[in-house]
Amino acid sequence: MAEGPLIVGAGPTGLAAALFLAEKGVKARLIDAAPAPEQQSRALAINTRTLDLLAPSGVANALESEGRRLRGVRFYQDWTEVAELRFRERRMIALPQTRTEAILRAALARHGLAPERGVRFEALAQDGAGVVATLAHEDGQREKARAPILLGADGAHSRVRAALGIGFPGSAVPEAWPLCDIALDTPLGPDVAHVCFQKRGLIFMLALTPGVWRAFGNLPDLLDRLPPGTRTGATLWRSSFHISHRIAIREVRGRVALAGDAAHLHSPVGARGMNLGIEDAYVFAACAAEALAGRPGRLDEYGRLRRLTHEQVVGRVRALTTFARGRPAPLGALRPWLLPLALRCPPLARALRDTLTGLDHPARAH
């Protein structure tokens, strides 16, 4: 197997990039600063595009066999149903990110590869032969690691992006979004996602496992706003987050590329974050393998290809988030009327379905 890129970040994007490269006969080195994989799941939904890209490796089958099929999204106003969008033949599954990462690691292990944990990226320099990265190990040792190409898949606070001096402009919404994973006895069906519009905000609910649900939204006292007839049990995880919509000024500089949250950031509305990162990994692997085979311009092409996609997807998610937040108040008042009308219009319903399932653009590697 040919020696390949150094990948910084062993989340879903980095793991998928290493796997796609391994399938092309290219061995990547994969490092992560964390001593162990994350135990809490940020992403939950795996869309049609991701499953299509991971099908040749057998990972898609493993994900679908363990995950739960989602049939669509049901929308409510104050828990009175107003509309439903069915995915039809499109595949969408619910599976905690921890399990998605574990399945990707198992696929990598079949290629004799594994992430190196407790290795922190600190700095880089580039020359005509490639990249020299300064790495810090848990025992205090420093390493100068040389690689022909480096991929920064190290998240929203990317050290790689900072080392390149690449800006990350965008916008943020002011309110906190509380989140919890909680045991519930609820009348809601587990085979669809649920979005309830309420005054000045929304609540999103999705079954994780039988009897355990993820709930989040942009409203305080989230657990006081659950649907009628719901009985709460133990809270397994509670957190909160803030939403930004950002795109890196550029995706490639020299022999270094960015992917996943290091390159783009947006709200969880639409469930595109992890899925778009895995698509980045697919396109990066195709371009990097050809760059290593003697076509160095292919790495710049990765940047051009993904730039357009990132702008399109982040723009769509920003628009969906603005609608979902229900702010300003006139927009919130119109949501329960506008959404059913939109879903009765086939082109608009298809556009929303394509956005949620990741098929709103081609996954071009050329």
Side-chain angles (χ1 to χ4, degrees):
M1 189 177 287
E3 292 297 323
L6 171 64
I7 300 174
V8 181
T13 300
L15 290 166
L19 178 60
F20 289 132
L21 285 163
E23 292 180 316
K24 297 177 181 299
V26 177
K27 179 182 179 181
R29 181 183 181 188
L30 180 59
I31 66 168
D32 197 286
E38 177 64 53
Q39 296 304 303
Q40 302 296 342
S41 293
R42 301 290 178 177
L44 297 176
I46 303 171
N47 67 24
T48 306
R49 169 59 52 73
T50 296
L51 293 171
D52 288 345
L53 296 179
L54 291 172
S57 65
V59 168
N61 282 340
L63 294 171
E64 290 189 272
S65 66
E66 190 167 328
R68 187 182 68 262
R69 181 78 178 266
L70 293 176
R71 306 293 177 181
V73 184
R74 196 166 292 153
F75 299 92
Y76 307 81
Q77 177 65 38
D78 295 323
W79 293 114
T80 297
E81 185 176 344
V82 295
E84 184 170 7
L85 178 72
R86 285 281 170 171
F87 295 141
R88 296 180 180 173
E89 74 282 359
R90 313 289 176 82
R91 295 174 295 161
M92 180 78 89
I93 63 170
L95 185 67
Q97 182 177 323
T98 52
R99 291 304 307 150
T100 299
E101 291 183 13
I103 290 168
L104 286 168
R105 287 195 300 271
L108 265 183
R110 292 193 286 272
H111 291 277
L113 301 174
E116 297 176 39
R117 289 281 173 184
V119 182
R120 186 177 70 253
F121 168 87
E122 292 197 329
L124 65 82
Q126 301 192 57
D127 56 30
V131 184
V132 177
T134 302
L135 309 179
H137 292 255
E138 280 187 305
D139 60 6
Q141 291 188 350
R142 293 291 190 276
E143 175 190 358
K144 296 290 187 180
R146 175 170 284 278
I149 293 171
L150 187 146
L151 177 67
D154 52 339
H157 303 289
S158 171
R159 284 175 168 262
V160 173
R161 189 183 63 240
L164 293 171
I166 293 176
F168 201 37
S171 61
V173 301
E175 74 269 14
W177 288 57
L179 171 153
C180 64
D181 292 346
I182 186 168
L184 294 179
D185 180 4
T186 178
L188 297 181
D191 64 337
V192 297
H194 302 270
V195 178
C196 179
F197 300 134
Q198 298 192 8
K199 186 177 180 180
R200 294 184 60 77
L202 81 156
I203 298 173
F204 172 91
M205 295 183 65
L206 179 68
L208 302 179
T209 59
V212 176
W213 289 71
R214 163 74 52 86
F216 71 81
N218 64 333
L219 295 164
D221 51 37
L222 201 67
L223 297 184
D224 294 332
R225 300 173 179 268
L226 300 179
T230 297
R231 292 182 295 175
T232 60
T235 299
L236 308 179
W237 180 43
R238 188 189 296 268
S239 184
S240 68
F241 57 94
H242 283 81
I243 284 175
S244 293
H245 296 93
R246 303 184 183 278
I247 304 175
I249 291 294
R250 57 193 301 170
E251 283 78 359
V252 175
R253 176 163 284 167
R255 293 172 175 264
V256 182
L258 301 174
D261 286 355
H264 48 81
L265 195 63
H266 47 75
S267 88
V269 175
R272 296 299 295 272
M274 179 184 72
N275 292 288
L276 191 59
I278 290 174
E279 186 182 307
D280 289 343
Y282 169 81
V283 179
F284 169 79
C287 293
E290 293 189 21
L292 293 169
R295 296 180 59 192
R298 286 286 280 141
L299 199 59
D300 287 329
E301 192 171 351
Y302 164 80
R304 290 191 295 272
L305 290 168
R306 298 316 289 165
R307 183 72 192 177
L308 178 61
T309 296
H310 295 163
E311 289 176 344
Q312 291 174 339
V313 173
V314 173
R316 291 185 186 112
V317 173
R318 183 188 291 112
L320 287 175
T321 303
T322 298
F323 181 83
R325 288 178 67 224
R327 303 180 188 186
L331 176 61
L334 290 172
R335 287 178 306 177
W337 306 97
L338 290 177
L339 186 62
L341 288 173
L343 295 185
R344 284 197 289 270
C345 175
L348 291 177
R350 183 169 57 252
L352 181 57
R353 189 178 295 112
D354 287 348
T355 297
L356 296 179
T357 57
L359 300 179
D360 50 350
H361 64 275
R364 293 178 55 223
H366 294 88

